[in-house]
Amino acid sequence: MTALAVAGALVALSISSAAALDRRVRINNNTSYDIVQFYASNKGTNDWQEDILGRGILPAGESIIINIDDGSGYCKFDFLAVFEDDDQVVSRNNNVCELSQFNFNP
């Protein structure tokens, strides 16, 4: 096998490994306010997509496991949490391929 073929095989293997990474993240609401909307958008898009919680909420002091796999293959995501008092918190460049938990703290 030539060096070029080996390099191509390694690139293909690393791409398929990245695509298979676990993107489930436990979101911890450590604040005293309910999260009423939560968004996670990959670094390749300029909008917040859809509210992951839908009609639900993430109560103060609770957590939820969210699969942040949008099928794009991206690992870096921006998070937006909207709280019941209309405060918003944005966290950028979260690597969901390596991150198992994310905390919203007071």
Side-chain angles (χ1 to χ4, degrees):
M1 193 179 246
T2 69
L4 184 57
V6 170
L10 289 175
V11 168
L13 178 61
S14 67
I15 290 171
S16 65
S17 295
L21 291 173
D22 184 2
R23 290 173 173 83
R24 288 177 292 183
V25 177
R26 178 179 298 278
I27 304 298
N28 299 307
N29 182 3
N30 297 330
T31 73
S32 56
Y33 294 95
D34 295 345
I35 295 175
V36 296
Q37 297 173 349
F38 179 77
Y39 302 88
S41 293
N42 72 57
K43 295 301 297 174
T45 187
N46 290 325
D47 76 47
W48 285 110
Q49 309 294 319
E50 65 185 60
D51 175 13
I52 294 172
L53 297 176
R55 294 184 179 183
I57 65 168
L58 179 53
E62 299 291 323
S63 65
I64 187 171
I65 297 174
I66 297 176
N67 184 1
I68 306 181
D69 187 354
D70 65 356
S72 67
Y74 279 87
C75 286
K76 297 274 180 107
F77 281 74
D78 296 336
F79 296 162
L80 166 63
V82 179
F83 292 84
E84 65 182 317
D85 64 352
D86 289 326
D87 277 351
Q88 297 183 4
V89 174
V90 174
S91 176
R92 302 206 181 273
N93 289 319
N94 300 289
N95 188 335
V96 299
C97 294
E98 297 176 355
L99 189 65
S100 63
Q101 293 196 53
F102 183 85
N103 296 314
F104 284 102
N105 292 314

XYZ file of all heavy atoms in Angstrom:
813
model
N 0.852 -1.164 0.000
C 0.000 0.000 0.000
C 0.903 1.233 0.000
O 1.831 1.335 0.785
C -0.887 -0.038 1.246
C -2.033 0.924 1.225
S -3.036 0.791 2.731
C -4.543 0.182 2.065
N 0.600 2.208 -0.847
C 1.421 3.416 -0.921
C 1.138 4.325 0.266
O 0.112 4.201 0.943
C 1.112 4.194 -2.216
O -0.203 4.730 -2.133
C 1.254 3.311 -3.437
N 2.050 5.268 0.493
C 1.880 6.216 1.597
C 0.619 7.057 1.391
O -0.093 7.361 2.341
C 3.101 7.124 1.709
N 0.313 7.385 0.133
C -0.883 8.175 -0.161
C -2.146 7.379 0.172
O -3.085 7.916 0.765
C -0.889 8.589 -1.631
C -2.019 9.501 -2.070
C -2.042 10.769 -1.229
C -1.878 9.856 -3.538
N -2.171 6.109 -0.152
C -3.327 5.267 0.155
C -3.498 5.112 1.665
O -4.619 5.143 2.176
C -3.183 3.901 -0.507
N -2.390 4.944 2.388
C -2.450 4.828 3.843
C -2.983 6.125 4.448
O -3.860 6.115 5.317
C -1.064 4.483 4.431
C -1.064 4.590 5.946
C -0.649 3.078 4.006
N -2.484 7.265 3.953
C -2.955 8.559 4.460
C -4.440 8.727 4.190
O -5.195 9.193 5.046
C -2.162 9.695 3.827
N -4.891 8.343 3.007
C -6.315 8.432 2.667
C -7.163 7.552 3.555
O -8.238 7.943 4.000
N -6.679 6.360 3.853
C -7.412 5.447 4.730
C -7.495 6.004 6.147
O -8.528 5.893 6.808
C -6.753 4.070 4.731
N -6.415 6.607 6.629
C -6.417 7.206 7.970
C -7.379 8.380 8.049
O -8.094 8.542 9.039
C -5.015 7.645 8.372
C -4.038 6.520 8.675
C -2.645 7.067 8.948
C -4.523 5.696 9.858
N -7.428 9.210 7.000
C -8.365 10.336 6.981
C -9.795 9.809 6.994
O -10.636 10.293 7.752
C -8.116 11.248 5.763
C -9.262 12.233 5.568
C -6.809 11.992 5.924
N -10.101 8.804 6.192
C -11.443 8.228 6.160
C -11.809 7.647 7.512
O -12.941 7.802 7.978
C -11.532 7.162 5.070
N -10.860 6.989 8.172
C -11.112 6.410 9.489
C -11.385 7.499 10.510
O -12.311 7.388 11.306
C -9.919 5.558 9.928
C -10.013 4.919 11.308
C -11.205 3.979 11.378
C -8.739 4.183 11.639
N -10.608 8.589 10.493
C -10.820 9.659 11.473
C -12.137 10.379 11.224
O -12.803 10.789 12.159
C -9.655 10.638 11.469
O -9.599 11.348 10.254
N -12.560 10.517 9.977
C -13.851 11.139 9.686
C -14.981 10.267 10.192
O -15.901 10.745 10.840
C -14.001 11.415 8.172
C -13.052 12.545 7.765
C -15.436 11.775 7.816
C -12.963 12.758 6.279
N -14.924 8.971 9.952
C -15.997 8.102 10.428
C -15.989 8.000 11.945
O -17.036 7.913 12.571
C -15.901 6.713 9.791
O -14.722 6.071 10.200
N -14.818 8.088 12.578
C -14.754 8.072 14.036
C -15.377 9.334 14.612
O -16.100 9.286 15.593
C -13.305 7.962 14.508
O -12.768 6.720 14.123
N -15.113 10.489 13.998
C -15.699 11.746 14.473
C -17.209 11.716 14.307
O -17.948 12.202 15.156
C -15.096 12.922 13.712
N -17.682 11.124 13.225
C -19.121 11.066 12.985
C -19.812 10.161 13.993
O -20.988 10.332 14.282
C -19.393 10.589 11.564
N -19.067 9.199 14.549
C -19.663 8.241 15.478
C -19.555 8.686 16.937
O -19.996 7.983 17.823
C -18.986 6.881 15.306
N -18.976 9.849 17.190
C -18.798 10.303 18.562
C -20.129 10.544 19.246
O -21.098 10.954 18.622
C -17.967 11.585 18.592
C -16.507 11.429 18.197
C -15.830 12.784 18.086
C -15.773 10.549 19.192
N -20.144 10.312 20.538
C -21.331 10.525 21.354
C -21.499 12.015 21.596
O -20.598 12.674 22.109
C -21.168 9.777 22.675
C -22.389 9.859 23.558
O -23.396 10.468 23.153
O -22.338 9.296 24.661
N -22.638 12.555 21.230
C -22.904 13.981 21.398
C -23.999 14.227 22.440
O -24.662 15.249 22.413
C -23.279 14.597 20.057
C -22.099 14.665 19.094
C -22.516 15.128 17.714
N -21.390 15.350 16.860
C -20.761 14.412 16.174
N -21.147 13.164 16.269
N -19.737 14.700 15.399
N -24.170 13.281 23.351
C -25.149 13.462 24.435
C -24.482 14.241 25.560
O -23.401 13.884 26.028
C -25.657 12.119 24.943
C -26.590 11.442 23.945
C -27.013 10.115 24.450
N -25.812 9.267 24.439
C -25.782 8.005 24.769
N -26.873 7.407 25.176
N -24.661 7.322 24.715
N -25.160 15.304 26.001
C -24.628 16.173 27.043
C -25.697 16.357 28.119
O -26.856 16.615 27.804
C -24.226 17.557 26.462
C -23.735 18.490 27.556
C -23.175 17.399 25.370
N -25.301 16.202 29.370
C -26.203 16.484 30.486
C -26.152 17.989 30.738
O -25.098 18.533 31.053
C -25.799 15.732 31.747
C -26.709 16.055 32.953
C -26.324 15.284 34.183
N -26.442 13.849 33.990
C -27.591 13.153 34.102
N -28.697 13.761 34.415
N -27.592 11.845 33.911
N -27.301 18.642 30.575
C -27.415 20.071 30.834
C -27.928 20.229 32.261
O -29.016 19.749 32.596
C -28.385 20.746 29.832
C -27.942 20.466 28.382
C -28.498 22.243 30.114
C -26.584 20.994 28.003
N -27.128 20.877 33.100
C -27.467 21.090 34.509
C -27.902 22.530 34.721
O -27.135 23.463 34.432
C -26.257 20.791 35.405
C -25.797 19.361 35.265
O -26.567 18.430 35.398
N -24.513 19.198 34.987
N -29.116 22.704 35.215
C -29.609 24.039 35.539
C -29.381 24.273 37.022
O -30.217 23.932 37.851
C -31.090 24.180 35.178
C -31.616 25.562 35.461
O -30.877 26.441 35.881
N -32.901 25.758 35.229
N -28.236 24.842 37.358
C -27.874 25.087 38.749
C -28.331 26.456 39.233
O -27.888 26.922 40.278
C -26.353 24.953 38.916
C -25.871 23.554 38.612
O -26.589 22.583 38.817
N -24.661 23.441 38.102
N -29.204 27.100 38.472
C -29.698 28.419 38.842
C -30.993 28.276 39.641
O -31.491 27.169 39.846
C -29.977 29.282 37.593
O -31.159 28.802 36.932
C -28.799 29.259 36.626
N -31.553 29.406 40.038
C -32.834 29.385 40.754
C -34.002 29.728 39.830
O -35.111 29.977 40.298
C -32.792 30.344 41.949
O -32.447 31.636 41.523
N -33.760 29.729 38.520
C -34.796 30.014 37.523
C -34.930 28.851 36.548
O -33.930 28.232 36.173
C -34.456 31.283 36.731
C -34.465 32.531 37.575
C -33.288 33.012 38.139
C -35.645 33.216 37.810
C -33.293 34.164 38.919
C -35.661 34.366 38.596
C -34.486 34.827 39.140
O -34.496 35.954 39.917
N -36.154 28.588 36.115
C -36.389 27.559 35.101
C -35.839 28.011 33.755
O -35.927 29.192 33.405
C -37.891 27.289 34.933
C -38.547 26.705 36.174
O -37.822 26.232 37.071
O -39.792 26.723 36.230
N -35.278 27.066 32.998
C -34.909 27.325 31.606
C -36.144 26.982 30.780
O -36.630 25.850 30.818
C -33.697 26.493 31.168
C -32.451 26.902 31.965
C -33.452 26.645 29.661
C -31.218 26.055 31.683
N -36.647 27.954 30.030
C -37.879 27.745 29.263
C -37.605 27.469 27.791
O -38.477 26.963 27.082
C -38.870 28.920 29.433
C -39.324 29.018 30.889
C -38.256 30.241 28.984
N -36.399 27.794 27.338
C -35.981 27.475 25.974
C -34.494 27.142 25.999
O -33.724 27.767 26.739
C -36.202 28.652 25.014
C -37.643 29.043 24.850
C -37.786 30.313 24.015
O -36.816 31.015 23.717
N -39.006 30.626 23.638
N -34.107 26.163 25.163
C -32.690 25.818 25.049
C -32.387 25.535 23.588
O -33.098 24.770 22.931
C -32.343 24.595 25.903
C -30.893 24.203 25.782
C -29.909 24.918 26.454
C -30.513 23.144 24.982
C -28.572 24.579 26.329
C -29.180 22.791 24.847
C -28.210 23.517 25.537
N -31.321 26.145 23.102
C -30.908 25.996 21.710
C -29.440 25.563 21.663
O -28.638 25.986 22.488
C -31.036 27.325 20.959
C -32.427 27.894 20.966
C -32.849 28.721 21.999
C -33.325 27.606 19.942
C -34.134 29.253 22.010
C -34.610 28.132 19.945
C -35.001 28.947 20.986
O -36.269 29.462 20.987
N -29.117 24.745 20.686
C -27.732 24.339 20.425
C -27.549 24.355 18.910
O -28.192 23.588 18.205
C -27.445 22.951 20.986
N -26.705 25.250 18.439
C -26.482 25.386 17.001
C -25.017 25.175 16.682
O -24.143 25.736 17.351
C -26.925 26.769 16.524
O -28.323 26.892 16.647
N -24.763 24.376 15.646
C -23.376 24.091 15.287
C -22.694 25.333 14.734
O -23.351 26.278 14.312
C -23.297 22.894 14.329
C -23.788 23.229 12.936
O -23.296 24.137 12.288
N -24.770 22.468 12.460
N -21.385 25.325 14.781
C -20.585 26.481 14.380
C -20.718 26.814 12.899
O -20.307 27.884 12.477
C -19.113 26.246 14.721
C -18.823 26.147 16.200
C -19.226 27.382 16.964
C -18.434 28.577 16.483
N -18.842 29.843 17.056
N -21.320 25.947 12.126
C -21.454 26.193 10.694
C -22.747 26.896 10.316
O -22.997 27.129 9.141
N -23.567 27.262 11.304
C -24.843 27.921 11.010
C -24.925 29.258 11.738
O -24.236 29.477 12.732
C -26.044 27.019 11.398
O -27.245 27.632 10.956
C -26.111 26.780 12.883
N -25.766 30.129 11.216
C -25.902 31.462 11.798
C -27.236 31.678 12.495
O -27.585 32.810 12.797
C -25.720 32.540 10.722
C -24.288 32.622 10.250
O -23.368 32.422 11.025
N -24.091 32.881 8.982
N -28.012 30.621 12.727
C -29.252 30.808 13.467
C -29.368 29.742 14.545
O -28.619 28.781 14.573
C -30.482 30.845 12.537
C -30.901 29.493 12.020
O -30.990 28.547 12.813
O -31.198 29.371 10.814
N -30.317 29.918 15.435
C -30.425 29.062 16.605
C -31.218 27.786 16.371
O -31.414 27.009 17.286
C -31.022 29.846 17.781
C -30.019 30.771 18.366
C -30.022 32.123 18.300
C -28.840 30.415 19.092
N -28.918 32.632 18.936
C -28.181 31.602 19.436
C -28.274 29.205 19.487
C -26.995 31.620 20.154
C -27.096 29.229 20.206
C -26.470 30.420 20.524
N -31.682 27.540 15.160
C -32.424 26.319 14.864
C -33.711 26.274 15.679
O -34.410 27.262 15.769
C -31.554 25.073 15.087
C -30.197 25.090 14.409
C -30.261 25.069 12.902
O -31.063 24.361 12.337
N -29.430 25.851 12.237
N -34.018 25.139 16.317
C -35.273 25.004 17.060
C -35.012 24.852 18.556
O -33.947 24.426 18.969
C -36.061 23.799 16.550
C -35.358 22.481 16.807
C -36.071 21.294 16.196
O -36.232 21.280 14.972
O -36.456 20.395 16.953
N -36.024 25.218 19.330
C -35.958 25.062 20.782
C -35.966 23.567 21.101
O -36.949 22.875 20.842
C -37.153 25.772 21.418
C -37.258 25.566 22.915
O -36.292 25.075 23.532
O -38.314 25.898 23.463
N -34.883 23.073 21.660
C -34.745 21.642 21.939
C -35.739 21.174 22.997
O -36.215 20.045 22.957
C -33.292 21.315 22.353
C -32.365 21.548 21.163
C -33.167 19.889 22.866
C -30.889 21.438 21.487
N -36.090 22.057 23.924
C -37.033 21.674 24.976
C -38.478 21.613 24.467
O -39.332 21.012 25.121
C -36.948 22.658 26.149
C -35.613 22.715 26.883
C -35.664 23.803 27.951
C -35.262 21.369 27.495
N -38.738 22.231 23.326
C -40.100 22.225 22.794
C -41.058 22.886 23.777
O -40.834 23.995 24.223
N -42.088 22.178 24.161
C -43.057 22.709 25.125
C -42.627 22.496 26.571
O -43.273 22.956 27.489
C -44.415 22.066 24.902
C -45.024 22.447 23.588
C -46.386 21.868 23.442
N -46.957 22.276 22.173
C -48.145 21.973 21.783
N -48.933 21.239 22.539
N -48.590 22.392 20.618
N -41.529 21.762 26.765
C -41.057 21.474 28.110
C -40.203 22.600 28.669
O -39.942 23.607 28.014
N -39.775 22.413 29.902
C -38.850 23.330 30.563
C -37.800 22.500 31.283
O -37.983 21.297 31.486
C -39.564 24.268 31.572
C -40.153 23.464 32.742
C -40.607 25.131 30.891
C -40.614 24.319 33.902
N -36.719 23.159 31.668
C -35.721 22.542 32.528
C -35.779 23.286 33.859
O -35.263 24.394 33.988
C -34.320 22.616 31.912
C -33.182 22.019 32.730
C -33.471 20.584 33.165
C -31.877 22.089 31.955
N -36.471 22.698 34.849
C -36.660 23.402 36.129
C -35.338 23.710 36.828
O -34.337 23.014 36.646
C -37.474 22.399 36.958
C -38.124 21.496 35.962
C -37.134 21.401 34.824
N -35.377 24.767 37.640
C -34.223 25.141 38.459
C -33.789 23.940 39.289
O -34.613 23.220 39.846
C -34.598 26.308 39.365
N -32.475 23.682 39.322
C -31.934 22.593 40.113
C -32.011 21.224 39.456
O -31.555 20.241 40.022
N -32.554 21.147 38.266
C -32.712 19.862 37.564
C -31.714 19.752 36.414
O -31.016 20.700 36.071
C -34.140 19.724 37.023
C -35.211 19.738 38.093
C -35.196 18.488 38.967
O -34.930 17.402 38.444
O -35.448 18.634 40.174
N -31.670 18.567 35.796
C -30.814 18.346 34.637
C -31.549 17.486 33.619
O -32.546 16.831 33.939
C -29.500 17.688 35.045
O -29.725 16.398 35.552
N -31.027 17.509 32.408
C -31.594 16.712 31.321
C -30.442 16.294 30.409
O -29.476 17.043 30.232
C -32.658 17.519 30.537
C -33.368 16.647 29.513
C -32.044 18.734 29.876
C -34.558 17.310 28.860
N -30.536 15.095 29.852
C -29.547 14.646 28.870
C -30.110 14.930 27.489
O -31.221 14.497 27.167
C -29.216 13.149 29.036
C -28.572 12.918 30.401
C -28.299 12.690 27.902
C -28.327 11.456 30.719
N -29.332 15.658 26.706
C -29.755 16.037 25.358
C -28.753 15.495 24.355
O -27.544 15.653 24.527
C -29.857 17.570 25.225
C -30.931 18.105 26.174
C -30.159 17.975 23.790
C -31.040 19.610 26.196
N -29.255 14.866 23.300
C -28.405 14.421 22.200
C -28.264 15.597 21.236
O -29.206 15.957 20.545
C -29.013 13.211 21.489
C -28.100 12.669 20.420
O -26.999 13.156 20.202
N -28.562 11.640 19.727
N -27.093 16.199 21.223
C -26.868 17.403 20.424
C -26.225 17.015 19.099
O -25.284 17.634 18.631
C -26.043 18.431 21.224
C -26.724 18.679 22.552
C -25.889 19.742 20.462
C -26.064 19.660 23.450
N -26.755 16.006 18.471
C -26.271 15.552 17.164
C -27.283 15.986 16.116
O -28.384 15.453 16.045
C -26.111 14.030 17.156
C -25.462 13.533 15.880
O -25.236 14.335 14.952
O -25.193 12.324 15.808
N -26.915 16.987 15.325
C -27.823 17.486 14.296
C -27.558 16.863 12.930
O -28.108 17.291 11.929
C -27.759 19.011 14.220
C -26.403 19.525 13.755
O -25.467 18.720 13.563
O -26.274 20.761 13.592
N -26.690 15.852 12.882
C -26.387 15.167 11.632
C -25.339 15.869 10.783
O -24.986 15.380 9.715
N -24.827 16.995 11.238
C -23.864 17.774 10.454
C -22.432 17.257 10.588
O -21.582 17.589 9.778
C -23.901 19.246 10.889
O -23.420 19.379 12.216
N -22.153 16.482 11.648
C -20.796 16.034 11.905
C -19.996 17.013 12.745
O -18.870 16.719 13.139
N -20.550 18.181 13.014
C -19.858 19.170 13.840
C -19.774 18.706 15.284
O -20.669 18.039 15.789
C -20.606 20.515 13.827
C -20.340 21.364 12.609
C -21.089 21.206 11.454
C -19.353 22.344 12.629
C -20.864 21.990 10.336
C -19.123 23.137 11.524
C -19.882 22.952 10.379
O -19.652 23.731 9.280
N -18.697 19.104 15.949
C -18.542 18.880 17.388
C -18.705 20.174 18.169
O -19.090 20.142 19.332
C -17.162 18.287 17.691
S -17.004 16.546 17.232
N -18.420 21.310 17.559
C -18.494 22.602 18.244
C -19.883 23.223 18.065
O -20.346 23.417 16.946
C -17.440 23.562 17.699
C -16.016 23.089 17.920
C -15.523 23.517 19.279
C -14.113 23.062 19.516
N -13.147 24.107 19.473
N -20.517 23.522 19.210
C -21.859 24.095 19.224
C -21.907 25.288 20.151
O -21.223 25.338 21.178
C -22.882 23.063 19.714
C -23.283 22.058 18.668
C -22.427 21.041 18.293
C -24.521 22.135 18.056
C -22.788 20.120 17.333
C -24.898 21.222 17.090
C -24.032 20.210 16.727
N -22.755 26.257 19.795
C -23.088 27.361 20.677
C -24.385 26.995 21.388
O -25.285 26.407 20.782
C -23.293 28.656 19.884
C -22.029 29.127 19.186
O -20.924 28.760 19.644
O -22.148 29.860 18.197
N -24.480 27.347 22.664
C -25.687 27.102 23.455
C -26.346 28.433 23.794
O -25.663 29.410 24.091
C -25.362 26.402 24.777
C -24.790 25.018 24.655
C -24.124 24.451 25.735
C -24.910 24.263 23.508
C -23.600 23.178 25.667
C -24.386 22.981 23.420
C -23.732 22.434 24.505
N -27.672 28.429 23.790
C -28.459 29.573 24.250
C -29.537 29.056 25.182
O -30.326 28.178 24.797
C -29.103 30.300 23.075
C -30.226 31.306 23.405
C -29.698 32.461 24.254
C -30.871 31.816 22.133
N -29.553 29.567 26.395
C -30.610 29.245 27.361
C -31.414 30.513 27.626
O -30.841 31.583 27.850
C -30.021 28.728 28.665
N -32.744 30.371 27.565
C -33.640 31.465 27.897
C -34.335 31.069 29.196
O -34.941 29.997 29.276
C -34.676 31.707 26.777
C -35.617 32.850 27.166
C -33.977 31.995 25.447
N -34.228 31.940 30.192
C -34.775 31.660 31.512
C -36.162 32.282 31.668
O -36.547 33.168 30.896
C -33.819 32.177 32.596
C -32.540 31.405 32.652
C -31.486 31.715 31.808
C -32.402 30.338 33.524
C -30.299 30.982 31.846
C -31.221 29.602 33.580
C -30.175 29.932 32.732
N -36.896 31.811 32.666
C -38.269 32.255 32.883
C -38.383 33.760 33.109
O -39.435 34.347 32.854
C -38.905 31.500 34.044
C -38.254 31.765 35.392
C -38.869 30.961 36.514
O -40.102 30.856 36.578
O -38.099 30.406 37.319
N -37.319 34.421 33.556
C -37.353 35.874 33.761
C -36.875 36.630 32.519
O -36.590 37.820 32.570
C -36.516 36.257 34.981
C -35.034 35.945 34.819
O -34.654 35.287 33.821
O -34.244 36.339 35.699
N -36.782 35.913 31.384
C -36.362 36.442 30.078
C -34.868 36.728 29.970
O -34.416 37.237 28.952
C -37.166 37.685 29.664
C -38.599 37.335 29.303
O -38.818 36.235 28.756
O -39.494 38.149 29.585
N -34.080 36.428 30.999
C -32.627 36.513 30.853
C -32.167 35.442 29.873
O -32.764 34.361 29.795
C -31.922 36.293 32.192
C -31.846 37.546 33.048
O -32.186 38.633 32.532
O -31.449 37.439 34.208
N -31.109 35.750 29.135
C -30.538 34.802 28.186
C -29.056 34.640 28.479
O -28.370 35.614 28.791
C -30.720 35.290 26.751
C -32.167 35.411 26.342
C -32.322 35.830 24.889
O -31.355 35.959 24.146
N -33.558 36.032 24.481
N -28.599 33.398 28.368
C -27.183 33.100 28.533
C -26.713 32.364 27.287
O -27.317 31.354 26.899
C -26.919 32.241 29.793
C -25.460 31.822 29.862
C -27.337 32.983 31.043
N -25.640 32.882 26.680
C -25.047 32.256 25.501
C -23.672 31.729 25.886
O -22.898 32.427 26.541
C -24.924 33.262 24.332
C -24.177 32.638 23.157
C -26.288 33.756 23.897
N -23.381 30.505 25.499
C -22.059 29.920 25.676
C -21.596 29.415 24.314
O -22.294 28.630 23.673
C -22.118 28.769 26.682
O -20.853 28.160 26.784
N -20.435 29.857 23.881
C -19.953 29.532 22.533
C -18.853 28.460 22.553
O -18.163 28.283 23.544
C -19.430 30.791 21.866
C -20.503 31.876 21.785
C -20.271 32.828 20.654
N -21.295 33.860 20.614
C -22.457 33.735 19.992
N -22.753 32.634 19.365
N -23.332 34.732 19.988
N -18.748 27.773 21.418
C -17.661 26.811 21.161
C -17.613 25.648 22.137
O -16.540 25.243 22.582
C -16.303 27.516 21.141
C -16.138 28.384 19.923
O -16.518 28.001 18.828
N -15.578 29.561 20.116
N -18.749 25.082 22.466
C -18.797 23.908 23.333
C -18.556 22.662 22.488
O -19.286 22.420 21.529
C -20.164 23.826 24.020
C -20.429 25.050 24.849
O -19.805 25.238 25.881
N -21.322 25.911 24.381
N -17.547 21.889 22.838
C -17.223 20.676 22.083
C -18.057 19.522 22.634
O -17.682 18.878 23.617
C -15.732 20.370 22.179
C -15.339 19.249 21.256
O -16.140 18.399 20.884
N -14.075 19.231 20.882
N -19.185 19.255 21.977
C -20.105 18.227 22.465
C -19.596 16.811 22.214
O -20.168 15.855 22.726
C -21.530 18.412 21.886
C -22.099 19.758 22.294
C -21.551 18.233 20.377
N -18.514 16.677 21.449
C -17.901 15.356 21.254
C -17.047 14.971 22.459
O -16.748 13.802 22.661
C -17.061 15.341 19.986
S -18.040 15.543 18.480
N -16.641 15.955 23.251
C -15.810 15.703 24.433
C -16.519 16.040 25.732
O -16.135 15.556 26.783
C -14.528 16.534 24.335
C -13.660 16.162 23.153
C -12.443 17.075 23.014
O -12.322 18.039 23.774
O -11.629 16.783 22.128
N -17.546 16.873 25.658
C -18.242 17.381 26.835
C -19.332 16.404 27.260
O -20.161 16.008 26.458
C -18.878 18.719 26.446
C -19.492 19.595 27.490
C -18.430 20.103 28.460
C -20.169 20.780 26.818
N -19.330 15.991 28.518
C -20.393 15.120 28.983
C -21.431 15.882 29.829
O -22.566 15.448 29.950
C -19.825 13.960 29.813
O -19.183 14.451 30.975
N -21.018 17.042 30.390
C -21.924 17.865 31.188
C -21.660 19.334 30.903
O -20.534 19.724 30.613
C -21.710 17.622 32.689
C -22.097 16.247 33.132
C -22.233 16.181 34.649
O -22.941 16.977 35.230
N -21.548 15.220 35.244
N -22.742 20.109 31.016
C -22.623 21.567 30.898
C -23.465 22.181 31.998
O -24.619 21.786 32.194
C -23.096 22.062 29.533
C -22.920 23.532 29.374
C -21.719 24.061 28.957
C -23.951 24.396 29.694
C -21.547 25.427 28.843
C -23.796 25.768 29.581
C -22.588 26.279 29.157
N -22.893 23.142 32.713
C -23.587 23.752 33.853
C -23.987 25.184 33.553
O -23.158 25.983 33.114
C -22.676 23.762 35.089
C -22.332 22.377 35.546
O -23.182 21.512 35.640
N -21.065 22.162 35.857
N -25.256 25.484 33.819
C -25.699 26.872 33.897
C -25.698 27.202 35.373
O -26.460 26.620 36.162
C -27.103 27.041 33.304
C -27.085 27.016 31.795
C -27.464 25.873 31.118
C -26.691 28.113 31.066
C -27.452 25.833 29.721
C -26.662 28.092 29.667
C -27.043 26.944 28.998
N -24.798 28.104 35.775
C -24.617 28.449 37.189
C -25.126 29.865 37.444
O -25.148 30.689 36.535
C -23.141 28.360 37.569
C -22.648 26.938 37.530
O -23.297 26.027 38.026
N -21.485 26.731 36.922
N -25.484 30.114 38.717
C -25.955 31.476 39.065
C -24.870 32.517 38.854
O -23.727 32.249 38.806
C -26.340 31.365 40.531
C -26.006 30.005 40.999
C -25.479 29.239 39.839
